[in-house]
Amino acid sequence: MTKKRARLLQGNEAVVEGAIAAGLTFFAGYPITPSTEIAELCAAKLPAIGGKFIQMEDEIASMAAVCGASLAGMKAMTATSGPGFSLKQENLGFAVKGELPCVVVNVQRVGPSTGMPTSASQGDVMQARWGSHGDHEMVALSPSSVQEAFTLAVESFNIAEEYRTPVILLMDEMIGHLREKVVLPEKEELVIRNREKPNMTPEQYKPFAMDHGEIAGVPPLAAYGDGFKFHVTGLTHGEDGFPTNNPAIAEKQLKRLNEKISSNKKALTRVEKFYMDDAEVVVFAYGGTARSARKAVKDARAQGIKAGMLRAITIWPFAEDALLEVKRNSPKAVIVPEMNLGQLVLPVKRVIGDSAPVIPINKIAGQLVEPEEILLAIKEAM
Amino acid sequence: MALSLDKYLRMSKLPHIWCPGCGHGIVTQAIVRAIDELGLDTDKTVVVSGIGCSARAPGYLHFDTLHTTHGRAIAFATGIKMAKPELNVIIITGDGDAAAIGGNHLIHAARRNLDLTVICFDNNIYGMTSGQYSPLTPQGSYATTSPYGMLEKPFDLCNLVMGAGGTFAARSTTYHARQLTNVIKEAISHKGFAFVDALSQCPTYFGRRNKLRTPLDMMNWFKDRSVPLRAWSKMSPEEQEGKFPVGVLTKTQAPELTEVYAQLVEKLQQRGED
């Protein structure tokens, strides 16, 4: 093992370190609490390594510039919070439709609207999934430690590049502003993936081909300026990228667009299982809230209670398979602590069904879900 | 002229979708002629558009082309240009796209003096949605959303760009096809943010509501109201009323953003080596 680099970092700072380690070369952003440190650190670091930083005139423009830079071959990122995330949705949809790899960090704060800008929330879980219009899949990852903010930033870029899709790094203010020890891995310890480039002539190149590409349904992506002279539009398009109203072509393309993610759910979905082997009560948690859940499970175990935590690392695609396993073990209860009014309760219920009661614990005004509250729920469920 | 412009066009995507008599073909041709006369590397030229009738032009042009969301073409193009400053980045926009929904991006790109060329296909109406008023619709004119005549004052986009710090602004019309090509050539050659207000006729949705039923009526309307810049400067405000200047209205030099950025990168990297 090479020499480790231990640092005391904030979650937002770790995201930038991870993004740069993954090959970030372009950042466009707009100031918004509680994500601003990400833009500030990119402004300081990117020019020094030959990367590009620009503070755009608004959130919409930041997302647009990220799409443009991605088409020019850059690994591009933007960062925001609730109100800005809402503004970015149209161009986020463009990135989905144009199949433009990029990373959007959302450090969640309390909403709706301007809400409580400096307080932690997990209220954008459903916005991450369905904020943009039309049928689409979305990949969203949620770190629960500063170390994981680093690793998931790398992972977000890898998934974006590999699947030609935007990826949302769904932080919460708790993790964004938390300072703790991080060990930055050496370059050679990291797996870095890059988008597949076309290996055919410009005449043969179809930027939205149905059957090209190493991963089924993910066509290679040329860069602007490389001589491919290709067209990208938000209009529904055929394999060549030009608009079509032909329902047969439109349906094929839209299915490919969705299935390149949905049919790879197994490869994309990440969970952590904590004391799950013999768990009689399961806490389903994610992001900052999983820290309290972990403590509650440890305390329960210390008292001889068989509790476990299933932590969703990918919020989307949803951890269906892991929950099906939970269902098969017929737990006494599945407890779902969230800093929202229970946005993931229904998706959990959809999988768990009647096999166990699903018990929400919700905080919506910026307070954290305390370990004691979860422990109490665990005990009540026993 | 025996010159063939076919190599700049995606011939398989033609004929275009524009209405008979629309001026957008003339403006598109002026762009293609300008690119040809300048001898731009077609592999290194990107054309970006927003939404609207004008936004369909890039689909017919054989370059790297990007048809973005409404109003955002300049913001997408900013990402492309910052990423790869060696590319020629041309933005095709409309008056609604550039002046209404995308107005913020226009003024900030001008302020930054980023080396982009913005050509506004200005038909002073929302054509794609069949004739609502835009911020460029002349006061008193009729549109589907100004059935009693346009109440608001229109923008002067060239003045707006100049006020925002743009270093190049020009205006021409489809009546002045040769001049239009020349100002577009100059705009593309200009190092820094360049804006061309290209007046284009929409007989279908503007003309027929405003007693300008034929394309010729509309082009004559451009001819009658346009004044060469030299004559314009000698006119009194009363004489200027209802008219507009054509030609290159401003052309100055100022540090360009990607060059300034490259200097910063160089400075920081030298410091890193020291």
Side-chain angles (χ1 to χ4, degrees), chain A residues 46-361:
Chain A
L46 282 175
I49 57 169
K52 305 293 165 66
F53 169 88
I54 188 163
Q55 182 172 314
M56 294 298 287
E57 53 274 17
D58 58 39
E59 296 276 3
I60 297 169
S62 310
M63 191 63 222
V66 160
C67 290
S70 177
L71 268 168
M74 302 270 131
K75 285 193 179 179
M77 179 169 88
T78 184
T80 189
S81 187
F85 194 52
S86 296
L87 286 166
K88 288 190 192 306
Q89 292 298 333
E90 188 195 8
N91 286 338
L92 184 58
F94 189 92
V96 170
K97 192 71 174 277
E99 302 182 59
L100 310 178
C102 58
V103 174
V104 178
V105 187
N106 175 5
V107 188
Q108 297 166 89
R109 65 191 226 189
V110 177
S113 192
T114 313
M116 299 162 81
T118 56
S119 298
S121 165
Q122 294 175 318
D124 301 348
V125 167
M126 279 299 172
Q127 194 191 5
R129 180 65 188 85
W130 290 116
S132 204
H133 57 279
D135 285 305
H136 61 281
E137 289 288 337
M138 196 51 86
V139 180
L141 307 169
S142 185
S144 71
S145 69
V146 176
Q147 183 73 50
E148 203 176 35
F150 178 96
T151 53
L152 291 189
V154 176
E155 207 47 38
S156 296
F157 271 100
N158 283 348
I159 293 169
E161 293 282 315
E162 209 172 352
Y163 290 87
R164 253 188 87 172
T165 191
V167 172
I168 297 164
L169 185 52
L170 198 58
M171 310 257 287
D172 49 60
E173 190 273 344
M174 191 201 307
I175 301 303
H177 283 160
L178 178 72
R179 268 182 203 284
E180 61 184 359
K181 184 185 161 186
V182 186
V183 179
L184 299 180
E186 298 289 342
K187 219 175 178 175
E188 49 275 14
E189 295 174 63
L190 291 169
V191 177
I192 304 297
R193 299 202 190 87
N194 296 309
R195 66 192 74 172
E196 191 186 345
K197 295 257 183 180
N199 60 358
M200 62 279 288
T201 65
E203 292 70 31
Q204 293 167 322
Y205 178 53
K206 291 196 179 91
F208 301 93
M210 292 297 297
D211 53 0
H212 291 166
E214 286 161 11
I215 296 178
V218 186
L221 179 60
Y224 278 180
D226 285 354
F228 283 86
K229 294 192 176 80
F230 65 111
H231 189 60
V232 176
T233 173
L235 287 168
T236 297
H237 42 265
E239 291 188 300
D240 60 0
F242 290 92
T244 179
N245 283 322
N246 178 327
I249 298 173
E251 191 172 327
K252 254 198 209 168
Q253 280 289 333
L254 291 170
K255 278 192 169 161
R256 178 184 62 73
L257 187 66
N258 282 272
E259 283 167 5
K260 73 175 182 181
I261 304 298
S262 63
S263 68
N264 286 303
K265 261 182 190 163
K266 273 198 192 343
L268 285 164
T269 311
R270 287 149 177 76
V271 295
E272 181 202 347
K273 292 172 185 169
F274 185 67
Y275 285 108
M276 282 295 289
D277 286 347
D278 58 347
E280 291 173 0
V281 178
V282 172
V283 185
F284 179 85
Y286 57 94
T289 306
R291 300 172 77 91
S292 296
R294 190 182 305 276
K295 171 87 164 64
V297 165
K298 272 192 207 163
D299 291 351
R301 287 278 169 175
Q303 295 173 31
I305 303 167
K306 287 182 174 170
M309 173 177 69
L310 177 64
R311 182 167 71 88
I313 298 171
T314 40
I315 306 298
W316 311 113
F318 191 61
E320 232 165 67
D321 287 353
L323 276 167
L324 277 173
E325 212 180 302
V326 168
K327 182 185 179 179
R328 279 195 291 273
N329 295 335
S330 313
K332 292 200 167 95
V334 178
I335 299 164
V336 185
E338 293 181 273
M339 288 186 282
N340 58 45
L341 278 176
Q343 294 192 16
L344 284 191
V345 167
L346 275 178
V348 170
K349 276 189 178 166
R350 183 174 61 81
V351 183
I352 295 296
D354 295 329
S355 66
V358 175
I359 302 161
I361 304 177

Side-chain angles (χ1 to χ4, degrees), chain A residues 16-36:
Chain A
V16 176
E17 296 293 345
I20 289 175
L24 176 76
T25 45
F26 184 96
F27 184 95
Y30 187 80
I32 184 167
T33 304
S35 79
T36 308

Side-chain angles (χ1 to χ4, degrees), chain B residues 168 170-172 179-187 196 247-248:
Chain B
F168 183 102
R171 183 183 290 111
S172 191
Q179 181 198 44
L180 184 58
T181 302
N182 287 335
V183 298
I184 292 172
K185 260 172 82 177
E186 235 180 298
V196 178
V248 176

